[in-house]
């Protein structure tokens, strides 16, 4: 009850409501543009958050995530092109409904299910984050080191087909994290005599470069294929009877979204497809799936919007981002000097409560803003790509310069963009790099501090029960992920 | 040369360069048991080893592919459908186009201090739009200038963030 009261108080004493509304609107616009993922949409906002107070900044970013998950379904339904990866499952039945002249109803189901998903995810976020963080309060340096290793172990599920490439990307992130002043002795490493590198390379610059600049470079390699969206689409919400029919698939979306959000590395895309599949399995109208089933929109849209809140749970409780979007959100916390992890509930409780309140506003405001943004979204999607990219390019340059008024930062962002482009060309995933970058300091400093405590004895990592637990889970996680294809191969002959 | 082999070679070069620099980190009297060079050495070595593994994997896959081709079987081209495949389909011309956009960005970095924010951003928008395929008409210039003024108003007046005024203004 205290949490609720404080969240509501923050809503009315800070610009939280405005930030939540702006965030949702920006998220819907970004999500509706094919090519701009929720994380890129959030990364574009990161530089602006410097000028804001911490609570407003975090609400703005988290609300963008909420808005982008719905925004992705707009082009998915209207032009069969998912605006975000998580909206890919929505294409299947959303576009079929559009072809049958029910685009407005499909958009209404998507928006309404998104609101249900966001609200349910928020409840889970409030209920689960603090108890998990309370466990984490008893952490010592070995536990933090092991937690960092657990976070890094997520790399195996994010490697997208090649574990070696995922590990290369993760180590590259750890390498970047070593630039600057050594966390224990204070000596300089890899600074090349440059004063700007003494404080290290800020994750926000790397993220903007990797996500946003590399996307523009990739788009420059491709010919502009003009997109045309019918501008008459208007949102139509489902009636009582249809709403009742959608309820089971929305509940499936909620449950799947909760599990997938908490599980690092899974994210909205996996949640959407699992929810779609489960909704089909449990539906009384299985035959309609793939031919314009309303449940085929409700389940994935509820799931990916649930994830937009539940993915924040491991970030707040343990300081571990499990997805690109939460990694960018972590960047927002770092900009304001807030350390995420269990102590956030003690040291920055107001920010956490503000985040809860902001997400509540964002989830509800999504209904009205989603309807209002329909026209601007269609207008924006219909703009020539050349102009859109030029404006995004200028926005990145202006935003990044505004952080420290430093051209060196702009150079770093461009360099990170080139690295991101090369990584995409070589099919090397980004998130391991981001994980390495943000967890590098945690892992190295706590590893060395633990050894200082133990007098150089490595057994401290197994005698500390929390550390042992995390290392065991990390080992099982890695073995499970690596062994999955092997077990699948073993099962195949038996099945056949 | 396959993407995997290029990735492997790049990882080896990156790891070796980083390791060489890590080996040059001088010990100090404040050092703990691990020291500031400890993790970098491990990371550099791991990167080199992973680069070797990726290169060997790539060479073995290439050998398998050639054998399949020699045996008259269809080669596995599944990887061509991913994003990297899309970039690759643009060919060297596509990569050069990305380089061109990057050059526009570098150009902005070079002129912004002298020209000032508004002219530099206007030039950036106009150049990037023309480069992206916009037609060379008065419209692109008008949109570029309007965009620069919009961003100036947003950053300087609304958000209160100082942006470079430039040196050109001194001549007026």
């Amino acid at each position: 009850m205290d949490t609720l009261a404080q969240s509501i108080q923050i809503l009315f004493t800070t610009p939280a409501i405005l930030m939540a509304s702006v965030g949702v609107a920006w998220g819907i616009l970004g999500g509706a543009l094919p090519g701009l993922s929720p994380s890129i949409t959030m990364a574009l906002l990161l530089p602006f958050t410097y000028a804001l107070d911490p609570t407003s900044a975090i609400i703005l970013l988290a609300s963008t995530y909420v808005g982008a998950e719905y925004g992705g379904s707009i082009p998915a339904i209207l032009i069969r092109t998912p605006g975000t990866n998580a909206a890919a499952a929505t294409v299947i039945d959303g576009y079929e409904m559009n072809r049958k002249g029910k685009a407005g109803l499909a958009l209404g189901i998507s928006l309404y299910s998104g609101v249900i998903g966001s609200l349910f995810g928020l409840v889970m976020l409030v209920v689960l984050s603090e108890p998990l963080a309370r466990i984490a309060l008893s952490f010592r340096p070995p536990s933090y080191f092991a937690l960092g290793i657990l976070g890094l172990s997520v790399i195996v599920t994010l490697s997208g087909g090649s574990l070696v490439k995922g590990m290369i990307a993760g180590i590259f992130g750890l390498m970047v994290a070593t630039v600057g002043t050594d966390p224990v002795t204070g000596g300089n490493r890899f600074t090349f005599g440059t004063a700007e590198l003494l404080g290290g390379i800020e994750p926000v610059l790397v993220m903007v470069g990797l996500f946003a600049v590399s996307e523009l470079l990739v788009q420059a390699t491709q010919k502009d294929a003009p997109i045309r969206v019918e501008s008459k689409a208007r949102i139509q919400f489902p009636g009582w009877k249809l709403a009742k029919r959608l309820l089971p698939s929305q509940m499936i979306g909620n449950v799947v979204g909760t599990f997938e959000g908490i599980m690092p590395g899974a994210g909205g895309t996996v949640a959407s497809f699992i929810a779609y599949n489960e909704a089909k399995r449990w539906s009384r109208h299985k035959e309609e799936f793939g031919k314009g089933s309303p449940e085929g929109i409700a389940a994935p849209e509820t799931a990916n919007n649930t994830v937009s809140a539940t993915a924040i749970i491991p970030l707040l409780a343990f300081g571990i981002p499990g997805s690109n979007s939460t990694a960018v959100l972590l960047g927002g916390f770092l900009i304001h000097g807030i350390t995420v992890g269990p102590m956030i509930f003690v040291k920055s409780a107001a920010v956490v409560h503000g985040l809860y309140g902001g997400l509540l506003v964002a989830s509800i405001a999504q209904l009205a803003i989603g309807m209002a943004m329909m026209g601007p979204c269609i207008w924006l999607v219909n703009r020539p790509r050349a102009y859109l990219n030029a404006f995004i390019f200028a926005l990145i340059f202006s935003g990044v310069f505004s952080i420290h008024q430093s051209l060196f930062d702009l150079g770093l962002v461009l360099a990170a963009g080139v690295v991101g482009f090369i990584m995409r060309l070589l099919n090397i995933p980004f998130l391991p790099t981001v994980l390495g970058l943000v967890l590098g300091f945690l892992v190295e400093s706590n590893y060395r501090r633990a050894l200082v405590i133990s007098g150089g004895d490595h057994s401290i990592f197994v005698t500390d029960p929390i550390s042992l637990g995390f290392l065991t889970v990390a080992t099982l996680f890695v073995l499970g992920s690596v062994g999955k294809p092997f077990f699948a191969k073993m099962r195949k002959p038996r099945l056949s | 040369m396959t993407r995997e082999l290029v990735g492997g070679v790049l990882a080896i070069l990156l790891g070796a360069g980083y390791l060489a620099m890590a080996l040059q980190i001088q010990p100090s009297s404040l050092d703990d048991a691990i020291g500031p060079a400890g993790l970098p050495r491990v990371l550099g070595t791991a990167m080199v080893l992973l680069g070797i593994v990726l290169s060997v994997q790539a060479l073995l896959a290439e050998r398998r592919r050639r054998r399949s081709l020699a045996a008259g079987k269809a080669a596995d081209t599944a990887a061509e459908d991913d994003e990297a495949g899309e970039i690759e389909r643009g060919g060297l011309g596509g990569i050069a186009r990305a380089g061109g956009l990057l050059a526009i960005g570098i150009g902005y970095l070079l002129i912004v201090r002298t020209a000032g924010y508004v002219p530099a951003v206007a030039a950036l928008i106009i150049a990037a739009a023309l480069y992206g395929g916009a037609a060379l008409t008065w419209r692109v210039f008008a949109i570029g200038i309007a965009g620069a003024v919009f961003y100036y108003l947003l950053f300087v007046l609304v958000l209160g963030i100082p942006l470079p005024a430039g040196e050109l203004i001194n001549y007026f």
Side-chain angles (χ1 to χ4, degrees):
Chain A
M1 265 336 252
D2 276 357
T3 304
L4 183 67
Q6 282 163 13
S7 300
I8 290 171
Q9 191 198 349
I10 288 167
L11 282 184
F12 292 104
T13 52
T14 66
I17 294 177
L18 175 70
M19 289 301 140
S21 307
V22 172
V24 170
W26 174 252
I28 292 175
L29 278 178
L33 283 172
L36 286 193
S37 63
S39 49
I40 296 175
T41 311
M42 291 167 76
L44 286 172
L45 274 186
L46 268 180
F48 289 91
T49 61
Y50 269 88
L52 302 173
D53 67 273
T55 309
S56 301
I58 298 307
I59 291 174
L60 183 68
L61 289 171
S63 307
T64 301
Y65 190 8
V66 172
E69 290 298 358
Y70 160 66
S73 71
I74 297 174
I77 290 166
L78 297 180
I79 51 173
R80 208 183 186 183
T81 305
T84 60
N85 289 339
T90 308
V91 169
I92 306 168
D93 285 288
Y95 187 68
E96 285 303 316
M97 280 187 76
N98 180 16
R99 281 181 56 187
K100 289 175 182 169
K102 295 178 183 173
L105 182 60
L107 287 163
I109 292 169
S110 164
L111 181 54
Y112 155 72
S113 302
V115 172
I116 288 180
S118 310
L119 286 173
F120 186 85
L122 175 61
V123 172
M124 290 294 112
L125 173 67
V126 176
V127 170
L128 296 176
S129 296
E130 218 163 331
L132 284 173
R134 240 175 263 140
I135 299 169
L137 276 175
S138 51
F139 286 10
R140 295 164 57 232
S143 334
Y144 276 114
F145 163 74
L147 178 64
I149 295 296
L150 177 62
L152 289 175
S153 71
V154 173
I155 288 172
V156 296
T157 60
L158 303 170
S159 300
S162 170
L163 180 60
V164 178
K165 283 184 181 177
M167 288 172 73
I168 286 174
I171 288 176
F172 177 64
L174 287 168
M175 282 176 164
V176 178
T178 60
V179 174
T181 308
D182 175 51
V184 178
T185 64
N188 296 337
R189 296 187 298 192
F190 310 108
T191 54
F192 308 103
T194 311
E196 284 95 339
L197 287 176
L198 285 176
I201 295 176
E202 288 193 41
V204 56
L205 302 176
V206 178
M207 286 184 211
V208 172
L210 281 183
F211 291 111
V213 176
S214 76
E215 178 62 34
L216 291 177
L217 295 178
V218 167
Q219 290 198 14
T221 66
Q222 290 149 8
K223 292 260 168 4
D224 188 11
I227 294 171
R228 252 318 98 200
V229 178
E230 179 55 55
S231 59
K232 283 178 191 162
R234 292 285 174 270
I235 289 177
Q236 181 194 340
F237 288 107
W240 176 243
K241 202 176 158 194
L242 180 56
K244 239 172 81 179
R245 181 183 152 184
L246 294 177
L247 200 59
S249 37
Q250 286 165 336
M251 283 166 69
I252 288 170
N254 282 328
V255 174
V256 172
T258 302
F259 277 104
E260 296 300 324
I262 296 171
M263 282 288 292
T269 313
V270 179
S272 299
F273 278 102
I274 294 179
Y276 181 88
N277 198 39
E278 290 307 307
K280 184 179 177 183
R281 194 209 307 240
W282 294 95
S283 173
R284 287 181 188 166
H285 310 274
K286 283 189 188 67
E287 69 291 348
E288 287 182 26
F289 276 75
K291 295 170 190 161
S293 162
E295 291 144 292
I297 298 171
E301 283 303 312
T302 311
N304 65 41
N305 276 275
T306 306
V307 168
S308 69
T310 53
I312 302 173
I313 295 172
L315 181 67
L316 288 186
F318 302 122
I320 294 179
S323 64
N324 287 330
S325 303
T326 48
V328 178
L329 185 60
L330 172 62
F333 279 105
L334 294 177
I335 283 172
H336 291 277
I338 299 171
T339 308
V340 278
M343 287 307 286
I344 197 173
F345 294 93
V346 181
K347 288 184 177 170
S348 308
V351 177
V352 177
H353 293 140
L355 171 64
Y356 293 161
L359 280 175
L360 178 66
V361 173
S363 305
I364 297 166
Q366 204 182 173
L367 267 181
I369 297 173
M371 289 172 72
M373 293 301 290
M374 198 63 209
C377 279
I378 292 174
W379 180 83
L380 203 59
V381 171
N382 282 335
R383 288 314 92 202
R385 181 59 70 177
Y387 285 109
L388 269 180
N389 286 352
F391 272 83
I392 292 172
F393 208 24
L395 178 67
I396 293 169
F397 274 71
S398 312
V400 170
F401 185 83
S402 69
I403 299 173
H404 298 130
Q405 285 79 51
S406 159
L407 288 180
F408 186 82
D409 284 359
L410 283 179
L412 276 180
V413 167
L414 277 183
V418 173
V419 170
F421 179 77
I422 294 170
M423 287 174 80
R424 291 168 87 150
L425 186 60
L426 299 176
N427 239 345
I428 297 175
F430 285 161
L431 192 53
T433 301
V434 176
L435 273 178
L437 179 61
V438 297
L439 294 177
F441 178 82
L442 177 88
V443 170
E444 185 186 13
S445 59
N446 285 292
Y447 174 67
R448 288 166 65 183
R449 275 182 203 132
L451 287 183
V452 169
I453 294 168
S454 70
D457 184 2
H458 278 83
S459 68
I460 191 169
F461 297 110
V462 285
T463 52
D464 181 287
I466 298 172
S467 167
L468 178 65
F470 280 143
L471 291 176
T472 309
V473 173
T475 309
L476 291 174
F477 194 60
V478 172
L479 289 177
S481 303
V482 174
K484 211 170 164 185
F486 176 72
F487 292 127
K489 260 186 200 169
M490 276 177 61
R491 275 174 60 191
K492 243 184 193 172
R494 228 183 292 159
L495 289 172
S496 58
Chain B
M1 210 179 198
T2 64
R3 283 199 295 254
E4 273 61 28
L5 191 55
V6 173
V9 172
L10 281 179
I12 293 169
L13 292 176
L14 176 68
Y18 180 84
L19 186 60
M21 284 188 283
L23 290 170
Q24 283 169 14
I25 296 174
Q26 297 296 318
S28 91
S29 53
L30 295 169
D31 281 2
D32 55 329
I34 305 296
L39 180 69
R41 284 178 191 175
V42 173
L43 294 177
T45 310
M47 185 63 108
V48 171
L49 292 176
L50 286 167
I52 292 170
V53 172
L54 190 60
S55 304
V56 171
Q57 279 182 345
L59 290 171
L60 290 176
E62 182 62 14
R63 206 170 74 168
R64 273 198 304 273
R65 194 184 69 88
R66 282 192 185 156
R67 275 192 191 160
S68 310
L69 281 175
K73 290 178 195 166
D76 180 16
T77 54
E80 301 299 316
D81 290 332
D82 52 26
E83 183 189 56
E86 270 176 37
I87 304 172
E88 224 172 47
R89 269 194 289 278
L92 280 178
I95 294 172
R97 275 200 295 279
L101 187 65
L102 185 69
I104 291 172
I106 294 169
Y108 171 84
L109 287 188
L110 295 175
I111 66 163
V112 67
R113 283 263 187 242
T114 314
Y117 178 76
V118 174
V121 165
L124 177 73
I125 294 174
I126 294 165
L130 288 173
Y131 191 72
L136 180 60
T137 60
W138 64 269
R139 204 168 152 233
V140 72
F141 291 96
I143 290 174
I145 293 165
V149 172
F150 169 76
Y151 280 139
Y152 177 82
L153 293 175
L154 177 69
F155 280 93
V156 180
L157 296 186
V158 178
L159 295 172
I161 296 165
L163 292 165
E167 290 162 17
L168 285 182
I169 205 160
N170 298 330
Y171 298 102
F172 294 100

